[in-house]
Amino acid sequence: MVENPFETEIRVGEVLEAQAFPEANKPKMTKLWIDLGEDHGEVQSAGQLDHHYEPDDLEGRQVLCATTLGSVRVAGFKSEVLTVGVPDEEGYPVLVEPETDVPLGGVLF
């Protein structure tokens, strides 16, 4: 876990699998398994993404992930990265994604 938020790394990953997460306390949650590339491996993330995305539509998509914030447990699921999004007009996350495919694990600069 980073001490200084300016030391946070944001890396590109590819969603390998996504599942609805109804057992979470927040509505519209999704479980994600994300490949961060050869050097960083597979990680898990939980996010309130079902407002805009069906789980099947997330698979194969490249996303940005904050990787150095530490992990949390959400309804027993270990969320190791924060999948980066911005709020829509109602405050629900819209994913931030590369415009074209880029190498997995690449760092945002």
Side-chain angles (χ1 to χ4, degrees), residues 1-5 7-9 66-72 79-80:
M1 182 184 269
V2 295
E3 302 272 331
N4 179 341
E7 295 174 3
T8 301
E9 285 186 348
T67 60
T68 53
L69 299 176
S71 64
V72 297
S79 184
E80 302 166 293

Side-chain angles (χ1 to χ4, degrees), residues 7-98:
E7 295 174 3
T8 301
E9 285 186 348
I10 297 179
R11 295 188 175 275
V12 176
E14 180 180 335
V15 178
L16 300 173
E17 183 179 350
Q19 295 178 2
F21 193 9
E23 56 271 37
N25 289 336
K26 288 186 174 184
K28 307 274 187 176
M29 292 290 287
T30 306
K31 293 179 186 178
L32 302 172
W33 288 264
I34 300 170
D35 180 4
L36 291 177
E38 191 174 302
D39 293 338
H40 303 283
E42 187 177 320
V43 294
Q44 299 179 160
S45 183
Q48 204 171 7
L49 302 176
D50 282 6
H51 291 278
H52 294 291
Y53 309 96
E54 293 293 325
D56 289 346
D57 295 334
L58 291 167
E59 293 177 7
R61 187 179 292 235
Q62 286 194 333
V63 294
L64 297 180
C65 303
T67 60
T68 53
L69 299 176
S71 64
V72 297
R73 288 220 173 259
V74 179
F77 181 77
K78 185 176 182 181
S79 184
E80 302 166 293
V81 299
L82 174 67
T83 307
V84 178
V86 294
D88 67 7
E89 304 82 30
E90 297 175 3
Y92 300 118
V94 175
L95 291 171
V96 176
E97 308 173 59

